[in-house]
Amino acid sequence: MLAGCTPWPPEFAARYRAAGYWTGETMDAFLRDRARRFAERTAVVGGTQRWTYADLDARADRAAAGLARLGVAPGDRVVVQLPNVPEVFEVVFGLFRLGALPVYALPAHRRSEVAHLCAATDAAALVVAGVHAGFDYRELAAQVRAETGGPARVVVAGGTGDDGDSGDTVDSGAPAERDGFTSLAQVRRLGEGQAPPATAADPADVAFLQLSGGTTGLPKLIPRTHDDYLYSVRASAEICGLTPDTVYLSALPIVHNFPMSSPGFLGVFHAGGTVVLAPDPSPATCLGLIEAHRVTDAAVVPPVALLWLDAVAGGAHADRDLSSLRVLQVGGAKFGAEAARRVPAVLGCALQQVFGMAEGLVNYTRPEDPDETVFTTQGRPISADDEIRVVGPDGAEVPEGEAGELLTRGPYTIRGYYNAPEHNALAFTPDGFYRTGDLVRRTPTGHLVVEGRAKDQINRGGEKVAPEEVENHLLAHPGVHDAAVVAVPDPYLGERACAYVVPRGTPPGRGELLAFLRGRGLAAYKIPDRVEFVAAFPATGVGKTSRRDLREALRAAHARPA
Ligand code: J2J
C-alpha cells in the first residue's frame, strides 16, 4: 500500500473479499469495462460537449499516454483542480490509466490550500483550468510553484472555447508550453497514436486522495483504495436504482465525494447512464438543464435545495417542466424536516437524504422508506457490514435512541489519514473505528438522525471549515492578538462563520482583515462572514482553557439576546 497509509487488518480484508464487496476491479478496468458495455451511450454532457463512453475511453487513452510522455509516472500524485467541465473525467481517468493518483482540490481552493496539497503529496503535476468564472488558475499555479518550488509540471485543461453560452467556458489561453506549463490540448497531441502505458495498479492499493473537511490547522488527506471505493459506488448505484436511462445532474463541484460516489458520476458510469455537468448550482442554470436534458436524478446541498424550492414555489421558475425528475438527493449538511417535506410537494419528485463523509460511511434513506423516515432521518448505512457505534463522552455506547458520537468501521471506511500518525491516534479508536465527530441518534429501524456535532468544524451549507485553520491565518496579522472562529446559526446556510478577534493595539479594519485573509490565499468559503472585536475572551473556568471551550463560550454569548 502507498507509504503513509493504514491498511485494513488482513482478517477484515479477507472478510470483505469473501463477502463480495472487494472485487479486485481497478478504476481503470472499471472505465474499460463500462466503455465496452455502453460504448455508444452518452456518458457526459457539459456545455456543448457530449461524449459517449467510447469517446471517454479513447480520451483517457490519449491523456494517459500524453501525461506519461510529459513525465508523469505510475504511483505519482497529481493534484487536479478543475471545475465542472467534461475534461475532469478525461484527466482523472487518464491518470488512473497511467497508474498515477489524482489528489482532488475544489475549484474554490486558493493558493494556501493548493500549495498544501501539492507539498503534502509531493505532487508530480498540477492540473488546473485556464480562466474560469473570472479567476485565472494559471496565475494560481504559478504562485503555488513560486511558493513551494513544485510541482514540476502544470497542465492547463481548457474547453473547446465555443461553449460560452452555458457560462462554463474554460479558456486555456495561449498555449503556454514554457516554464513547465503544458495545455491539455498539447498533452493530447503528445498522446496521439501512442499506446497507453500498460498499468498494473493493485486494486487493494490507494487509487486517489480526497480532501477531508478538516478539524485541524491543515486539512487531512483521505486515501481511498480501488476496492473499497468501487464497492461503495456499486452498492450506492443499486440502492439509488440507477439504470442506463439515468440522467444525473451534478450541481456540486464534481470532485467532491458526494457527486463522485454517492452514487455520483461513478455510480452513473457503473450503470451506463448520463452525467450532466452544471457549471453553477443556481435555479436558472440547473432547472434549465433538468428541463433540457430530461434529468432524472440530481444531487445538491441543503441551501441549493432551498433555492430551487423557492424558485419554483415563488413563481420565478414555476413553469419549468421538471416532470423527468425522479429524485432529488440532499446531503452534506442537515436538511430540516420542514424543508424536506417541501421537496415532493413543490418539485414533484422523491427526496433522498444522504449523510456521508469522504472518509467512508454513507447513509441513504431508501426509496421504499415511509415518507416520515425520509423527511426526518438522514438514512441508514450502505452496507450490512458498516459497523455503527453511538457513544457518550466516556466512549461507552449510549442506550438505544439516545444521542452520542457516531463511530464507524467497515468495508469502505478508511483506517487512517495519509501521513498523519498523530492525528490518526485521535481520530480512530485503537480497534479501528473512525470517530466521525457527528452527534447522532439511531432509530429502531437503524436510521440515523444527525443531532449536532462534537468536532471542531463549521458546516457552511455543506462546505466544511476548520476554525483552527482560519484562526492560524488571522493570528498572522500584526494587529491580531488572539482570534477564535465560531459557527453562528444561519437560516439559509445552516451555519456561518464569525471571527472573534482580540486586537493588538488599534483594531485593524474589518475589510482590511478580510482582505488580509484573501491575500494569504484562503478559499472564499473559509473567509469569516462576520468579524467581532472584543477586548478579551471570556474566562471559561479555571485552569487551561481549550480552544473548543472558548469557541463554545463565544457561541453561547452570541446566542443570548442582547
Ligand atoms: C448532516 N450532516 C451531514 C447530512 C454530511 C455524501 C454526502 C455528503 C458527503 C459529505 C459525502 C450530512 N446531515 N445529511 O462525502 O459521500 C456532515 C457530517 C459529516 C461531514 C462529511 C458523501 N451529510 N454531513 O458531506 O467529507 O458532519 O462529505 O461528517 O464533505 O458532513 O463531510 P464531507
Side-chain angles (χ1 to χ4, degrees):
M1 204 182 202
L2 177 68
C5 300
T6 315
W8 281 264
E11 64 275 21
F12 281 86
R15 182 142 69 81
Y16 298 151
R17 286 198 182 92
Y21 302 144
W22 294 3
T23 61
E25 187 171 44
T26 61
M27 299 296 282
D28 181 45
F30 170 88
L31 177 64
R32 273 270 191 260
D33 176 78
R34 301 321 182 268
R36 211 166 21 239
R37 282 158 54 189
F38 306 115
E40 295 313 317
R41 297 191 72 94
T42 301
V44 187
V45 176
T48 55
Q49 305 197 72
R50 179 181 282 270
W51 298 351
T52 65
Y53 280 81
D55 292 337
L56 177 56
D57 196 44
R59 282 175 180 270
D61 274 344
R62 262 201 316 274
L67 288 163
R69 284 191 64 192
L70 210 60
V72 179
D76 278 354
R77 275 80 55 205
V78 174
V79 176
V80 178
Q81 187 189 29
L82 292 175
N84 285 3
V85 291
E87 287 81 359
V88 77
F89 302 119
E90 177 178 359
V91 168
V92 164
F93 281 105
L95 290 170
F96 288 140
R97 185 142 296 170
L98 159 61
L101 283 66
V103 181
Y104 299 115
L106 294 172
H109 287 149
R110 291 294 176 260
R111 195 182 70 243
S112 164
E113 291 92 3
V114 178
H116 167 62
L117 287 175
C118 290
T121 63
D122 190 20
L126 166 63
V127 185
V128 293
V131 176
H132 180 78
F135 184 78
D136 191 340
Y137 286 90
R138 293 165 301 184
E139 187 57 38
L140 173 72
Q143 289 169 4
V144 166
R145 292 177 86 206
E147 190 174 309
T148 65
R153 306 159 193 87
V154 176
V155 174
V156 183
T160 57
D162 61 0
D163 50 355
D165 55 326
S166 58
D168 63 343
T169 310
V170 175
D171 171 16
S172 59
E177 315 298 346
R178 60 199 147 78
D179 304 335
F181 277 63
T182 309
S183 69
L184 181 61
Q186 175 65 6
V187 170
R188 289 181 191 127
R189 279 193 291 275
L190 286 171
E192 194 66 60
Q194 305 280 318
T199 52
D202 175 357
D205 210 335
V206 177
F208 60 84
L209 293 158
Q210 253 303 358
L211 197 57
S212 81
T215 54
T216 59
L218 288 171
K220 297 287 173 288
L221 284 153
I222 298 171
R224 300 292 300 260
T225 66
H226 301 265
D227 268 337
D228 91 73
Y229 208 63
L230 285 176
Y231 165 55
S232 80
V233 165
R234 285 191 310 272
S236 293
E238 189 172 322
I239 287 167
C240 300
L242 303 195
T243 72
D245 294 327
T246 297
V247 182
Y248 172 91
L249 181 82
S250 179
L252 303 168
I254 195 74
V255 296
H256 185 272
N257 198 56
F258 180 14
M260 188 177 304
S261 66
S262 301
F265 74 79
L266 288 172
V268 176
F269 291 166
H270 168 70
T274 301
V275 173
V276 176
L277 292 170
D280 69 76
S282 69
T285 299
C286 289
L287 301 178
L289 286 171
I290 292 171
E291 198 172 29
H293 297 286
R294 305 292 299 159
V295 165
T296 58
D297 299 45
V300 296
V301 287
V304 172
L306 294 177
L307 273 183
W308 291 12
L309 287 168
D310 288 349
V312 173
H317 289 274
D319 56 345
R320 291 282 187 195
D321 174 8
L322 306 178
S323 59
S324 60
L325 198 60
R326 198 181 61 101
V327 61
L328 182 70
Q329 291 189 297
V330 183
K334 176 82 178 241
F335 196 44
E338 287 321 306
R341 284 179 215 283
R342 291 177 66 204
V343 169
V346 173
L347 300 179
C349 66
L351 167 70
Q352 179 176 51
Q353 297 218 35
V354 189
F355 164 38
M357 53 206 72
E359 286 83 356
L361 181 73
V362 180
N363 303 275
Y364 296 102
T365 57
R366 306 298 204 265
E368 62 275 15
D369 282 340
D371 284 352
E372 272 312 291
T373 305
V374 173
F375 297 147
T376 60
T377 81
Q378 279 63 60
R380 62 184 173 83
I382 287 179
S383 178
D385 278 295
D386 281 321
E387 299 174 67
I388 300 292
R389 276 194 205 151
V390 183
V391 304
D394 59 356
E397 292 206 39
V398 300
E400 190 69 50
E402 283 184 20
E405 187 188 355
L406 169 65
L407 311 187
T408 186
R409 179 169 85 169
Y412 60 98
T413 296
I414 57 163
R415 293 295 186 122
Y417 292 99
Y418 177 61
N419 272 343
E422 279 161 34
H423 186 67
N424 286 342
L426 301 171
F428 295 83
T429 64
D431 57 349
F433 279 78
Y434 167 55
R435 300 183 202 271
T436 67
D438 292 312
L439 292 177
V440 304
R441 173 167 66 76
R442 195 163 28 170
T443 72
T445 52
H447 288 73
L448 301 176
V449 179
V450 180
E451 299 281 9
R453 197 174 46 223
K455 59 186 166 191
D456 270 337
Q457 195 176 71
I458 299 168
N459 190 335
R460 196 176 177 282
E463 292 185 304
K464 316 302 182 320
V465 181
E468 191 186 313
E469 184 183 1
V470 183
E471 289 165 4
N472 287 343
H473 283 284
L474 283 166
L475 287 169
H477 190 285
V480 173
H481 170 70
D482 204 351
V485 176
V486 306
V488 294
D490 181 83
Y492 169 67
L493 290 173
E495 293 176 352
R496 281 180 194 269
C498 177
Y500 288 89
V501 172
V502 180
R504 176 180 287 132
T506 313
R510 282 188 177 77
E512 186 214 316
L513 208 51
L514 299 183
F516 172 77
L517 289 180
R518 278 191 293 273
R520 288 181 62 85
L522 209 56
Y525 68 85
K526 295 183 187 171
I527 309 280
D529 299 281
R530 279 179 46 190
V531 178
E532 298 283 343
F533 291 103
V534 291
F537 282 148
T540 56
V542 276
K544 198 159 157 273
T545 301
S546 81
R547 303 299 298 180
R548 266 198 72 113
D549 292 345
L550 172 61
R551 293 189 197 106
E552 209 40 64
L554 286 166
R555 202 187 349 257
H558 177 100
R560 264 199 306 276

